[in-house]
Amino acid sequence: MDNKYDVIIIGAGIGGLTCGCYLAKAGKKVLIIEKNRNAGGYCCSFNRKGFNFDASVHSFSSCGPTEPLGKIIKELDLDVRITRITPSDVVITPDFKIEIQPNLTDTISQFIKLFPHEKKIVQFFSLFDKKPNIELYFELKNKTYQDLLDEFFTDFKIKAILSIFLGNFGIPPSKASAFTTVLSFKSFVFNGGYYPVGGMQKFANSLVKAFTLHGGEIIYNKKVIKAEVSRKRIKKIVLETGELLNADIVVSNIDARYLFFNIIGKIKLPLGFILKLTKLLPSSSAFLVYLGTKRFNKNGLEKYLGIWNMPDDYDIENTFLMPLKNKMLNNSFLFCSNQFGLSENNSTDVIRLIVNAPFKNADFWKRERESFSDNLISRTSSFFPKLKENILIKETATPHTLFSTTFNFNGSMCGWLNSENQNKTDLSTEHGLKNLFLTGHWVTEKYGQGGIAMCAYSGKKIVKKILANLKCR
């Protein structure tokens, strides 16, 4: 390493990698520092006993040629092949099985057939199709998603089905921003189902390859422990090895609380900003079970990327609220993802089970992780009856595993809680440091946080501001 760069990026998550690619392509001298041995953050994969598993992310959205992530892939000429699974997801309830089709008309037809007494189904789904985002913002900015559902529907079952995808963000409908939820549904549900051939690590690695081809420099297994601040500018970055690095601009792609409280330090920040940051709530964490299995009959469900299993009582509000209250339910929402193309031969499969979960303490998870994993496997057997007898390998990840991977506060899955009031905070300008920029799912903005497409776009979006700042120096 040299010790002087135009830009230093802390964290090789998707936002940081995307930002680095565009800056390096613009001819800037850029260094990315990553504490792990691989890039990608949650968008990574790992191998256990011959089975490859995607760690967290199960699919992409907005990969079409005119859509945000699709444009990024094209502009950076990423060496990755993206496929699309349609229909990508299915919701299984005690009464129904609903396919989520990218064709909005087909999805609407399913809901009308299942809920003929609900007269506003078409009007509700018009929010996803007709109105521009700016119009949606002014219409929905002060509403929760529960408020929105109550305006259109009376049946608690349709409300639960239309809320289950909030499992992506770990937030109940009573707290979720109506605006960001509608945007995320437009992206994740009706414009989703994209998957990098070979697994999520392939996508992260394609960004690393593009970054280094343009002259960018990336180092792994090194942790930033301090940022020296003077006159409202970060002057030096200090690594745990004692190395000192200089940059005109610093970009953070890591947990905002960890950055400001551990690396920068409260004494260097405005009091009002510290108070605001302390009050912000993270999205919930997750408990995951990774299964390598023999290939077996999955009753036609093997064709979906995601299988969303509804609680027996349809109480989605409670199942997403309890982890935020540091509690765990035995009959909560369950998500199962088929991991396409990750097994090493045609006789085995890879499956991943996920539930929202509280952080709790390490002793709790040491004591309970086996019983929780057995519970998830038993519940999954309700729609995969032959699952148990075909398991070859099982791995688990607790919220503490997620924390150790990313340093995300309380093992948060997707940054800040996507609530209506939190998305009005602007962390990117209120910290007062003139050469610090934020990217990734810890950026607070009215469009919400979370998701690979959003993280990538946040990295692209700040490049113009960074280049303008460098030009002024």
Side-chain angles (χ1 to χ4, degrees):
M1 290 184 296
D2 292 332
N3 71 344
K4 181 68 173 72
Y5 295 86
D6 295 318
V7 182
I8 289 177
I9 299 173
I10 305 172
I14 299 304
L17 288 169
T18 304
C19 179
C21 284
Y22 280 101
L23 290 171
K25 189 176 179 181
K28 301 306 173 185
K29 187 178 179 182
V30 187
L31 171 69
I32 298 178
I33 305 169
E34 170 56 46
K35 75 176 184 67
N36 296 319
R37 63 179 182 176
N38 291 315
Y42 284 151
C43 186
C44 68
S45 308
F46 65 91
N47 183 280
R48 291 290 186 274
K49 298 180 180 179
F51 286 91
N52 291 304
F53 299 97
D54 291 330
S56 299
V57 180
H58 86 281
S59 68
F60 293 166
S61 62
S62 304
C63 281
T66 63
E67 293 153 356
L69 188 54
K71 288 181 179 180
I72 289 171
I73 291 170
K74 183 177 180 180
E75 289 167 359
L76 297 177
D77 193 23
L78 297 185
D79 182 19
V80 64
R81 186 158 62 94
I82 306 291
T83 188
R84 192 178 192 191
I85 311 297
T86 56
S88 62
D89 295 85
V90 62
V91 180
I92 298 176
T93 82
D95 307 288
F96 315 111
K97 186 177 83 170
I98 303 106
E99 285 187 341
I100 303 302
Q101 301 276 1
N103 185 318
L104 194 56
T105 301
D106 293 339
T107 295
I108 291 172
S109 296
Q110 283 189 87
F111 279 96
I112 290 175
K113 184 177 180 179
L114 294 172
F115 299 96
H117 54 285
E118 294 288 355
K119 303 305 180 184
K120 296 183 179 180
I121 290 174
V122 174
Q123 294 95 311
F124 175 79
F125 281 107
S126 70
L127 295 171
F128 301 83
D129 189 39
K130 304 295 184 184
K131 295 185 178 181
N133 289 349
I134 190 66
E135 186 178 339
L136 278 175
Y137 175 68
F138 285 108
E139 181 179 339
L140 304 177
K141 65 177 182 177
N142 294 319
K143 296 179 181 179
T144 68
Y145 187 56
Q146 188 66 56
D147 294 334
L148 186 64
L149 292 173
D150 291 341
E151 285 181 20
F152 285 90
F153 306 112
T154 57
D155 193 317
F156 72 95
K157 292 182 180 180
I158 192 173
K159 293 180 187 180
I161 293 166
L162 291 170
S163 298
I164 199 168
F165 300 105
L166 288 170
N168 279 319
F169 310 104
I171 184 172
S174 67
K175 293 184 178 294
S177 159
F179 174 63
T180 60
T181 302
V182 168
L183 287 190
S184 68
F185 279 20
K186 287 173 68 173
S187 176
F188 283 95
V189 180
F190 300 111
N191 194 21
Y194 294 94
Y195 189 79
V197 175
M200 290 297 166
Q201 192 67 57
K202 294 285 187 181
F203 181 69
N205 290 349
S206 73
L207 284 164
V208 173
K209 182 178 179 180
F211 176 63
T212 54
L213 283 174
H214 287 296
E217 193 176 339
I218 185 167
I219 56 172
Y220 299 100
N221 296 312
K222 290 201 175 184
K223 187 166 64 177
V224 175
I225 62 169
K226 185 179 180 182
E228 295 183 357
V229 176
S230 176
R231 297 183 179 181
K232 297 184 178 180
R233 299 187 70 86
I234 296 176
K235 297 295 185 181
K236 294 182 185 297
I237 293 294
V238 184
L239 304 184
E240 60 183 342
T241 56
E243 295 163 279
L244 300 177
L245 303 172
N246 298 275
D248 293 324
I249 299 291
V250 175
V251 177
S252 172
N253 187 212
I254 64 173
D255 173 276
R257 288 175 63 106
Y258 190 86
L259 169 74
F260 289 112
F261 294 164
N262 294 65
I263 293 176
I264 293 172
K266 295 181 181 180
I267 196 172
K268 302 294 184 180
L269 300 167
L271 178 59
F273 176 78
I274 295 171
L275 294 174
K276 186 171 290 188
L277 185 60
T278 303
K279 292 178 181 178
L280 286 174
L281 300 175
S283 58
S284 71
S285 191
F287 179 73
L288 302 95
V289 179
Y290 306 90
L291 300 174
T293 72
K294 300 176 187 176
R295 184 152 293 178
F296 64 96
N297 182 5
K298 298 187 180 68
N299 299 324
L301 295 175
E302 68 278 353
K303 65 183 179 180
Y304 301 105
L305 268 173
I307 303 164
W308 304 75
N309 188 230
M310 180 71 68
D312 292 341
D313 58 4
Y314 286 85
D315 194 350
I316 283 294
E317 172 72 20
N318 197 46
T319 197
F320 291 157
L321 185 62
M322 287 300 100
L324 299 177
K325 292 185 173 182
N326 206 34
K327 296 179 181 179
M328 187 93 173
L329 298 175
N330 285 325
N331 184 32
S332 63
F333 144 83
L334 167 65
F335 176 73
C336 172
S337 65
N338 292 305
Q339 310 252 265
F340 290 113
L342 291 188
S343 66
E344 295 186 348
N345 59 64
N346 293 326
S347 63
T348 59
D349 283 322
V350 177
I351 300 169
R352 186 182 55 190
L353 314 177
I354 307 175
V355 289
N356 300 109
F359 190 66
K360 289 193 173 287
N361 58 53
D363 288 339
F364 171 87
W365 287 110
K366 184 177 180 180
R367 184 176 67 250
E368 301 291 346
R369 69 192 300 165
E370 279 303 309
S371 63
F372 277 127
S373 66
D374 291 343
N375 174 265
L376 293 189
I377 291 169
S378 294
R379 289 167 57 196
T380 306
S381 297
S382 67
F383 50 88
F384 287 163
K386 296 183 179 180
L387 173 61
K388 289 184 180 180
E389 63 198 71
N390 286 287
I391 294 173
L392 298 173
I393 177 178
K394 180 183 77 172
E395 291 283 338
T396 60
T398 74
H400 289 264
T401 313
L402 302 189
F403 171 78
S404 66
T405 301
T406 62
F407 283 171
N408 275 7
F409 181 53
N410 282 355
S412 166
M413 287 192 300
C414 56
W416 299 117
L417 196 69
N418 263 317
S419 61
E420 178 268 328
N421 61 324
Q422 292 201 163
N423 291 341
K424 294 178 180 178
T425 302
D426 187 2
L427 292 183
S428 62
T429 60
E430 296 179 9
H431 54 69
L433 299 176
K434 297 177 181 178
N435 65 336
L436 174 65
F437 294 82
L438 308 180
T439 187
H441 60 197
W442 291 102
V443 176
T444 52
E445 57 181 357
K446 62 179 178 289
Y447 296 105
Q449 296 75 246
I452 294 301
M454 175 270 166
C455 289
Y457 183 69
S458 75
K460 175 183 176 180
K461 189 170 65 173
I462 62 169
V463 168
K464 285 186 179 180
K465 292 181 179 180
I466 292 172
L467 293 176
N469 190 298
L470 288 171
K471 188 175 181 180
C472 292
R473 289 187 58 77

